[in-house]
Amino acid sequence: MRKTIYKIFTFLFSALLLSACQSQNTVQKTTVRQNKNVTHIYLIGDSTMTDYTGDYEPGKDYMKVRYPITGWGQVFQPFFVKDSLAALRPGIKTDSVIVIDRAHGGRSTRTFFQEGRWRYVFEHLEPNDYVIMQFGHNDGSEKHPDRYINVQGYKEFLRLFVSQTKEKGANPVIVTPVARNYPWKDGKLQNVHGDYWQAALDIAKEMNVPYIDLNKLSMEYFTQKGQDYVTSHYFMNLPAGAYEAYPEGQKDNTHFQPEGAKAVASLVYKEFKNSTKTHKK
């Protein structure tokens, strides 16, 4: 326990140096970007939020090696078409929004920080940007010690991401981990995230920041759609021979097909829109 706590505080001490570590190039880029009427929404989190296209796996063709796996962040940008932005006031007052998905598979709050992924976001944040953070899937995975962190450590890293987002004049939004497709009981999907679900809510309330209870929303929505439907249409349960990347099929009740990703992104967007209407600086 002492060793774990020591590591956490070592990470947090290092984090305090971030503010002083911006390079001249970053400062110059920030100065240029400030002249543009754009709000950036950064997504940080795990594989359920990831954009698998582009350079996620450099040199590899997404359609051949990954498709149809789709993170909900991958399909989040289309919700921010220009005609929809009036509904996001007063939280967003610019005439355009760019979603920057920095989520990555297998990352917990701890490893996202350790690997410098948070540093990138911190250095590029501008006043009035947003950081939507969804962790918990990997934080609570005790069978993967390379990514696991206990609930108290999880809370500390969420505090770090929130406080440093505020430091840059940007807006943090905490999201509870999206539901997995198990366990089901009496036709209802149950919570699989243990205390990490409540821990995210605790930090949001403690630090007085908006939150989206995606675990609850997705459990309820998936229950409404029914186990059979979400298993075959939303999650990565694939028959053999249907997709080049999965010639033998796939059984995966954590990650999404495109339809599932769009459904989850819609849940997030609706709650995000509600939070911008009550925006307070």
Side-chain angles (χ1 to χ4, degrees):
M1 176 63 75
R2 290 182 178 178
K3 186 175 181 181
T4 300
I5 293 174
Y6 174 78
K7 288 181 178 179
I8 292 170
F9 280 104
T10 300
F11 295 148
L12 297 181
F13 175 77
S14 300
L16 295 176
L17 300 178
L18 284 173
S19 299
C21 290
Q22 286 183 292
S23 67
Q24 184 62 36
N25 286 339
T26 300
V27 172
Q28 290 173 350
K29 289 178 182 178
T30 300
T31 301
V32 171
R33 291 171 64 203
Q34 284 175 338
N35 294 328
K36 297 180 180 179
N37 194 20
V38 177
T39 297
H40 303 89
I41 299 177
Y42 288 88
L43 307 182
I44 65 172
D46 55 47
S47 58
T48 61
M49 189 194 225
T50 294
D51 182 349
Y52 291 95
T53 63
D55 61 354
Y56 183 78
E57 289 185 288
K60 295 184 178 181
D61 185 337
Y62 163 68
M63 296 302 294
K64 292 182 178 180
V65 302
R66 285 281 190 174
Y67 185 79
I69 191 170
T70 309
W72 68 257
Q74 186 173 325
V75 292
F76 202 46
Q77 179 71 62
F79 290 92
F80 298 92
V81 295
K82 190 170 183 179
D83 291 346
S84 73
L85 298 185
L88 300 174
R89 297 182 183 276
I92 293 178
K93 298 179 180 179
T94 56
D95 58 12
S96 63
V97 168
I98 296 176
V99 175
I100 303 172
D101 192 345
R102 302 297 297 182
H104 205 84
R107 270 53 187 185
S108 62
T109 51
R110 176 175 64 81
T111 57
F112 196 87
F113 177 82
Q114 279 182 298
E115 295 174 1
R117 298 179 186 277
W118 171 247
R119 181 191 181 98
Y120 175 93
V121 174
F122 179 82
E123 289 185 339
H124 288 80
L125 271 178
E126 299 173 13
N128 300 316
D129 282 348
Y130 282 82
V131 177
I132 299 179
M133 55 192 78
Q134 179 215 265
F135 292 94
H137 274 258
N138 298 300
D139 301 76
S141 183
E142 294 187 55
K143 65 180 181 180
H144 293 103
D146 57 322
R147 62 185 71 166
Y148 170 76
I149 189 163
N150 64 26
V151 170
Q152 291 307 312
Y154 172 67
K155 285 185 171 183
E156 286 299 324
F157 280 107
L158 287 179
R159 288 188 182 104
L160 170 65
F161 298 151
V162 168
S163 62
Q164 291 202 325
T165 298
K166 288 183 172 182
E167 178 185 330
K168 297 298 287 286
N171 306 291
V173 179
I174 291 178
V175 181
T176 60
V178 66
R180 300 181 193 266
N181 189 31
Y182 60 86
W184 287 81
K185 182 178 180 182
D186 299 327
K188 295 183 178 180
L189 184 57
Q190 308 294 307
N191 172 44
V192 75
H193 295 302
D195 294 336
Y196 291 84
W197 175 15
Q198 184 60 48
L201 297 175
D202 290 344
I203 296 303
K205 294 171 183 178
E206 171 192 315
M207 303 190 75
N208 193 29
V209 298
Y211 66 87
I212 297 170
D213 192 352
L214 185 56
N215 191 35
K216 181 175 184 291
L217 290 169
S218 56
M219 283 191 295
E220 292 175 346
Y221 185 76
F222 295 161
T223 295
Q224 178 186 352
K225 299 297 287 187
Q227 183 177 1
D228 290 343
Y229 187 88
V230 300
T231 298
S232 60
H233 288 76
Y234 282 8
F235 289 88
M236 285 283 290
N237 295 293
L238 313 173
Y243 297 98
E244 182 175 357
Y246 307 91
E248 298 180 3
Q250 178 85 343
K251 289 185 178 181
D252 178 349
N253 285 295
T254 294
H255 301 99
F256 302 113
Q257 298 183 52
E259 185 179 347
K262 291 174 184 177
V264 174
S266 179
L267 294 175
V268 175
Y269 175 75
K270 289 176 183 177
E271 293 300 306
F272 177 75
K273 181 171 65 173
N274 290 338
S275 73
T276 62
K277 291 179 179 179
T278 56
H279 178 82
K280 295 180 181 179
K281 288 299 287 183

